[in-house]
Amino acid sequence: MKTARNAFPALAAGLAAAVLLTACGAPPLPEQDVVLYSRHYLEPIYLETVPEPGEIARPVRLFAARDEYEPASVGVFSHRALPGARLVASDLEGPGGARIDASAIEILITRYMKPMPRWVRPRHHELLPGYLDAAPAADVPARGSRQFWVTVHVPSDAPAGTYLGHLRLEAPSRRDLPGLSLEVEVLPFTLPEARPSFFLYGNNYPLSEQNFIDARRHGMNTVVVNHGWPKRVVPRYYAGGRFEYTDRFSKVVEVVEMARRHGLGIEHPVGVMLHSHLTGSIPAALAQAGLTGPGGEKIDRLEDPTGYTLLHTPGRAVSEVERQRGPYYPTPDPSAPPNTFWGRKVYQGWLAAFRTLEEVGRAHGWPGLWYYLIDEPHHSRGAMRLAILLARAADEAGADGMITCNEPTVSEPDPAKLWFRPVGPEPALLLEPFLRTRSYHNKYLGPETLERTRAAGDHYGTYINIYGNQPAGTRFLAGYLAHRLQLDHVMLWQWKNVSTEYEGGRSYLRDWEAAREGIDDLKYLQLLSTLVEQGRGPAAALQRGRQVLAEIRRATPTSVRAIGRVDSVSGRWEAGSRDWTTGAFDRRRRQAALAIVALLGEE
């Protein structure tokens, strides 16, 4: 390939990522009845948004590697109501007659909705941008805006260089509507697969073929099977303590194999959420076998707050304990194996589940299994007791257990004072002896927890709550922070469906789109790091590559709160104590892209 240095004048001149401006700026000129404007996609466009003069008619300029998805945000403002507005893309014409077909440009329409739980709720905006739909058209309100979300998928064989086209606005009642120019710089390389394991988990689970396709397109590389599937598998219990899984977890196999057909879980560990299964189906197996305790008592489900009493000989009851429903029965050593009639049998059932799934995974050639044991056990002392025992059982069975912890939890009570002392600032410390993978809430990520995790020989990762209206934080966590802390896994926890059917097309949560962008940021940095480590390219380019990596590392804080926040009154993005305006994301990616191009040279 010829040198790319002269092929990228627009890239070298700078990415025109939309300058971040207030949503309540000066109105357009009166004679402009309808205007199109471009704004950075991390910055919200509300129904009430009036564009700034500098945003109006500004061209959309993007840069992307081959096979990369790159988004842009386009707003339409109208003084009068404009029903049925559509944004249409042309083909893009590139160097030497190369083209990017218009079918590679997806245009979605933002759906405005009442805030979902945990969303930032700006006082000035009753409806907030949430999902991006493949709706046929949008109605623009009088003296208001609608947002179109444009995503260009660069073909994997596209020649490098600048591609030009346009976006035009259409509506049934108008013929004189404006357009915008669209410019895409195609880089002379393809991004590598992200090294961390990225996967979805939450209130829903993508079980359809299309949802697995969506997951792969958005940067996911592995899969975690929701607990709703394995908990249906109740083993048979035989006298003498043997458990047998005649079903061999066939539903788990079905889901994982479907995911693998679409590129998920090929090289990265496959996960199974096991808490509901282990605390529900094992007692069910004992009950179905007609087993009763020494006093004729029957076993019940191991509910989080109080079910642990079946596992350890209870101590003196402690009543009215904070965050504990009913009396709490402490034990001298919560890490000890169960010592009750039911506890020993339940524990053997847990071991059988782990060992059976390990056999199933090996038989199907899966790269490894990850057991997501319990989510945030800090919520009660009973849940924490179960978490410790679940982690112990996984470790004993040779399984890789993972537990999410998001705040300091509590220890067993002081036996003299009957009060509960905090474990400390890191709840995983109580579980560490039995865990191989630690998954921290982002506010506990940092050099200290990283050092302790690595010293213990454990994997280090995080989970990101993606709600819909915090895309900048999602992009930062999935990308720059993941690179800064060399995370081994990133779980995207969705509050609602991240992708679903909508009027014959697909609908996507905005934060999920931002997560894909964060993963791409990470890929750029990983590619640059690899080239530098390999010593590829001229000496001057290698030195510049090292400088870029060092500059980005210094600029990346270890807390997402340091980059900024969504203001709860205006809804605007407010930059934090570090230089992380939303445009800074792309400026830093551009630095990495230019350094990569220089290192690749004549390739």
Side-chain angles (χ1 to χ4, degrees), residues 291-406:
L291 195 67
T292 59
E297 69 276 9
K298 296 182 179 180
I299 190 169
D300 198 2
R301 179 177 168 80
L302 295 171
E303 297 292 347
D304 288 355
T306 57
Y308 66 87
T309 58
L310 292 168
L311 305 176
H312 279 133
T313 302
R316 182 164 44 134
V318 180
S319 300
E320 299 180 3
V321 176
E322 179 188 3
R323 301 182 80 173
Q324 177 65 40
R325 302 175 205 156
Y328 180 72
Y329 299 91
T331 184
D333 183 5
S335 299
N339 61 3
T340 63
F341 173 83
W342 291 115
R344 285 188 288 268
K345 297 188 181 304
V346 165
Y347 194 78
Q348 288 302 312
W350 294 353
L351 293 174
F354 288 123
R355 289 166 178 161
T356 302
L357 272 165
E358 287 290 299
E359 294 170 2
V360 167
R362 286 192 296 269
H364 286 84
W366 298 344
L369 281 170
W370 228 4
Y371 298 96
Y372 182 10
L373 300 174
I374 185 172
D375 180 43
E376 298 183 345
H378 64 271
H379 64 77
S380 77
R381 289 162 182 82
M384 196 64 183
R385 179 87 65 80
L386 283 174
I388 295 169
L389 294 178
L390 287 168
R392 182 187 183 107
D395 182 62
E396 186 175 334
D400 185 351
M402 179 185 75
I403 288 173
T404 48
C405 295
N406 92 340

Side-chain angles (χ1 to χ4, degrees), residues 237-527:
Y237 173 76
Y238 298 93
R242 184 170 65 90
F243 289 83
E244 181 180 343
Y245 285 86
T246 57
D247 179 79
R248 302 290 291 177
F249 288 94
S250 62
K251 203 66 182 178
V252 173
V253 172
E254 177 186 326
V255 172
V256 173
E257 288 298 305
M258 185 190 300
R260 284 168 61 81
R261 286 197 297 272
H262 295 288
L264 303 171
I266 303 298
E267 297 179 355
H268 293 258
V270 170
V272 183
M273 175 67 177
L274 273 185
H275 175 250
S276 289
H277 168 70
L278 291 178
T279 58
S281 64
I282 304 300
L286 296 170
Q288 287 179 14
L291 195 67
T292 59
E297 69 276 9
K298 296 182 179 180
I299 190 169
D300 198 2
R301 179 177 168 80
L302 295 171
E303 297 292 347
D304 288 355
T306 57
Y308 66 87
T309 58
L310 292 168
L311 305 176
H312 279 133
T313 302
R316 182 164 44 134
V318 180
S319 300
E320 299 180 3
V321 176
E322 179 188 3
R323 301 182 80 173
Q324 177 65 40
R325 302 175 205 156
Y328 180 72
Y329 299 91
T331 184
D333 183 5
S335 299
N339 61 3
T340 63
F341 173 83
W342 291 115
R344 285 188 288 268
K345 297 188 181 304
V346 165
Y347 194 78
Q348 288 302 312
W350 294 353
L351 293 174
F354 288 123
R355 289 166 178 161
T356 302
L357 272 165
E358 287 290 299
E359 294 170 2
V360 167
R362 286 192 296 269
H364 286 84
W366 298 344
L369 281 170
W370 228 4
Y371 298 96
Y372 182 10
L373 300 174
I374 185 172
D375 180 43
E376 298 183 345
H378 64 271
H379 64 77
S380 77
R381 289 162 182 82
M384 196 64 183
R385 179 87 65 80
L386 283 174
I388 295 169
L389 294 178
L390 287 168
R392 182 187 183 107
D395 182 62
E396 186 175 334
D400 185 351
M402 179 185 75
I403 288 173
T404 48
C405 295
N406 92 340
E407 65 181 70
T409 184
V410 292
S411 67
E412 294 294 300
D414 183 298
K417 298 181 180 179
L418 296 181
W419 58 276
F420 296 79
R421 296 176 295 179
V423 169
E426 188 184 349
L429 291 177
L430 191 62
L431 302 161
E432 192 280 329
F434 311 111
L435 287 178
R436 301 182 189 181
T437 296
R438 304 192 197 181
S439 188
Y440 288 98
H441 188 273
N442 62 77
K443 66 182 175 182
Y444 293 104
L445 291 173
E448 300 82 7
T449 52
L450 172 61
E451 182 180 349
R452 287 197 291 270
T453 303
R454 293 287 187 243
D458 294 341
H459 296 113
Y460 184 64
T462 189
Y463 55 111
I464 305 171
N465 296 327
I466 56 173
Y467 302 128
N469 73 332
Q470 301 178 59
T474 298
R475 179 175 173 182
F476 176 76
L477 284 165
Y480 289 99
L481 187 60
H483 183 264
R484 170 72 172 79
L485 296 175
Q486 296 298 293
L487 297 182
D488 296 306
H489 75 265
V490 177
M491 175 200 298
L492 299 171
W493 193 99
Q494 70 251 36
W495 187 261
K496 296 290 184 182
N497 294 32
V498 293
S499 70
T500 188
E501 296 290 334
Y502 184 81
E503 295 186 5
R506 305 297 296 173
S507 180
Y508 307 101
L509 191 65
R510 284 174 68 234
D511 277 16
W512 202 27
E513 301 294 286
R516 173 165 61 189
E517 280 295 283
I519 295 169
D520 284 345
D521 291 332
L522 179 63
K523 291 176 178 179
Y524 275 92
L525 294 172
Q526 287 182 171
L527 177 56

Side-chain angles (χ1 to χ4, degrees), residues 117-133:
R118 303 191 187 188
W119 276 22
V120 176
R121 293 168 167 77
R123 258 180 260 161
H124 294 341
H125 306 285
E126 180 181 0
L127 298 179
L128 306 182
Y131 280 90
L132 307 170
D133 296 329

Side-chain angles (χ1 to χ4, degrees), residues 202-218:
N203 285 357
N204 74 301
Y205 186 76
L207 293 175
S208 73
E209 296 276 345
Q210 184 59 53
N211 274 322
F212 281 124
I213 293 170
D214 292 344
R216 186 68 183 135
R217 286 180 59 202
H218 283 77

Side-chain angles (χ1 to χ4, degrees), residues 1-8 66 160 188 597 600-603:
M1 178 185 291
K2 293 183 179 180
T3 178
R5 269 191 287 270
N6 296 325
F8 299 97
R66 296 186 180 113
V597 170
L600 291 175
E602 297 289 339
E603 295 184 19

